[in-house]
């Protein structure tokens, strides 16, 4: 309730007064917030009286309550100006629109949260669930962490640049590794990383990989990306650059398969 002004305070003509501090306290906001609403044009700023005090009445308190309620509900300040005096039907429609906008933002924030959690778990970009499962199997099969990390990064590149074709290439490799004999070749290739390029085991491994490739695909070409894509070259270049032995194996395989 608005009470008569204490001794020494500026009075209204009817003997009642409410200062900015009282207004803020009654409505449950800070004086700074009231001033922000003044600056934003949400709450008209009353004129000062002869003593320099601003006079606030019941209508100011009602307006401030509406503003506070809308702001606490998440309505942007830019829209509060038009909504605080809108007819009820228009207000309800606008609030439903704002609710839809907030729902969309929440979905976006949850998606962002999921990406952050995957990043915290060491996954820089998302991959299909079956690829994640496959990468976990690699570790159980005895592949080195270096190999698993390399495979993850390269599949991220393929799925990001060729999402329509990536799954075909992935499933082909997954089938290969499901075969114990072929998986042995990949394990040997993984461990050849640290061999000298002129080690005889490098030549033998290249021969075995070329032979296995011919047996698997025959005269047909293995699944691959578009001929115009530069991604396969980038991938092979990344692999070759990490190990002289791997670079020599690639050269030998290409020579034996005439590619």
């Amino acid at each position: 309730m608005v009470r008569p002004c204490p001794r020494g305070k500026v009075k209204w003509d009817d003997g009642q007064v409410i200062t900015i501090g009282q207004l803020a306290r009654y409505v449950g906001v800070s004086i700074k917030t009231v001033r922000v609403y003044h600056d934003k044009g949400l709450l008209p700023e009353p004129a000062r009286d002869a003593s320099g005090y601003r006079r606030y009445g019941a209508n100011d308190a009602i307006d401030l309550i509406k503003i506070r309620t809308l702001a606490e509900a998440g309505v942007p300040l830019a829209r509060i100006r038009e909504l605080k005096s809108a007819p009820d039907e228009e207000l309800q429609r606008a609030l439903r629109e704002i609710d839809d906008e907030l729902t969309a933002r929440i979905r976006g924030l949850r998606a962002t949260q999921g990406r952050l959690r995957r990043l915290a778990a060491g996954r820089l970009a998302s991959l299909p669930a079956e690829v994640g499962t496959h990468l976990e199997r690699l570790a159980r099969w005895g592949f080195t962490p270096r190999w698993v990390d390399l495979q993850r990064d390269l599949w991220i590149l393929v799925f990001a640049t060729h999402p329509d074709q990536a799954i075909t290439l992935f499933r082909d490799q997954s089938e290969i590794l499901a075969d114990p004999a072929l998986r042995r070749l990949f394990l040997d290739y993984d461990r050849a990383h640290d061999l000298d390029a002129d080690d005889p085991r490098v030549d033998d491994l290249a021969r075995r990989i070329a032979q296995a490739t011919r047996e698997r695909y025959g005269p047909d070409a293995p699944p691959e990306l578009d001929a115009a894509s530069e991604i396969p070259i980038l991938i092979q270049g990344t692999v070759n650059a990490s190990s002289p032995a791997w670079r020599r194996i690639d050269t030998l395989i290409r020579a034996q398969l005439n590619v």
Side-chain angles (χ1 to χ4, degrees):
M1 298 293 293
V2 179
R3 294 174 293 179
C5 178
R7 183 182 300 276
K9 295 292 184 180
V10 178
K11 296 185 177 181
W12 289 87
D13 292 340
D14 62 359
Q16 301 291 327
V17 69
I18 182 171
T19 65
I20 188 172
Q22 291 171 311
L23 175 69
R25 186 167 62 254
Y26 289 147
V27 176
V29 298
S30 67
I31 294 175
K32 181 179 179 180
T33 297
V34 177
R35 289 175 174 153
V36 168
Y37 293 158
H38 285 329
D39 293 339
K40 299 290 185 182
L42 301 178
L43 183 68
E45 191 170 1
R48 297 181 185 272
D49 63 12
S51 300
Y53 284 87
R54 297 194 184 281
R55 303 181 175 190
Y56 294 89
N59 287 337
D60 298 311
I62 292 170
D63 280 349
L64 183 57
I65 290 171
K66 291 180 179 179
I67 295 168
R68 183 206 65 188
T69 303
L70 290 170
E72 289 178 347
V75 179
L77 293 183
R79 300 198 61 183
I80 289 178
R81 185 186 299 104
E82 60 182 275
L83 295 181
K84 69 184 182 69
S85 57
D88 186 65
E89 183 177 344
E90 181 181 340
L91 175 62
Q92 294 303 319
R93 183 173 60 254
L95 291 178
R96 286 193 295 270
E97 292 174 356
I98 293 170
D99 181 69
D100 291 341
E101 293 170 2
L102 288 173
T103 299
R105 286 174 56 193
I106 289 170
R107 283 198 297 267
L109 288 171
R110 285 175 176 165
T112 299
Q113 184 183 55
R115 288 192 292 269
L116 289 172
R117 287 176 176 175
R118 289 192 294 272
L119 179 60
R123 290 177 288 170
L124 188 57
S126 59
L127 287 169
E130 61 185 298
V131 179
T133 301
H134 171 75
L135 293 171
E136 292 173 358
R137 281 199 298 263
L138 293 181
R140 294 198 300 271
W141 284 334
F143 286 93
T144 63
R146 176 196 58 239
W147 177 264
V148 176
D149 290 343
L150 177 63
Q151 291 295 302
R152 176 182 293 110
D153 290 346
L154 295 181
W155 282 122
I156 286 172
L157 176 60
V158 174
F159 274 91
T161 57
H162 296 275
D164 296 335
Q165 299 171 275
I167 197 64
T168 300
L169 271 67
F170 165 74
R171 286 173 178 166
D172 180 65
Q173 186 184 100
S174 182
E175 290 176 6
I176 291 173
L177 290 174
D179 183 319
L182 296 178
R183 184 164 67 242
R184 182 73 257 168
L185 281 178
F186 273 79
L187 284 165
D188 290 345
Y189 183 89
D190 178 14
R191 284 159 177 73
H193 177 277
D194 298 324
L195 296 177
D196 291 332
D198 57 357
D199 191 302
R201 287 172 290 181
V202 168
D203 294 72
D204 179 65
L205 179 57
R207 178 190 56 77
R208 288 190 287 131
I209 293 175
Q211 180 181 344
T213 301
R214 284 191 294 267
E215 291 175 354
R216 177 171 175 80
Y217 300 107
D220 300 324
E224 57 186 16
L225 300 178
D226 294 332
S229 175
E230 297 178 344
I231 296 302
I233 296 175
L234 291 177
I235 290 176
Q236 194 60 57
T238 299
V239 173
N240 291 348
S242 65
S243 164
W246 282 357
R247 182 165 57 250
R248 177 166 169 73
I249 289 172
D250 178 50
T251 300
L252 293 172
I253 291 175
R254 289 177 182 276
Q256 294 179 45
L257 295 178
N258 296 316
V259 296

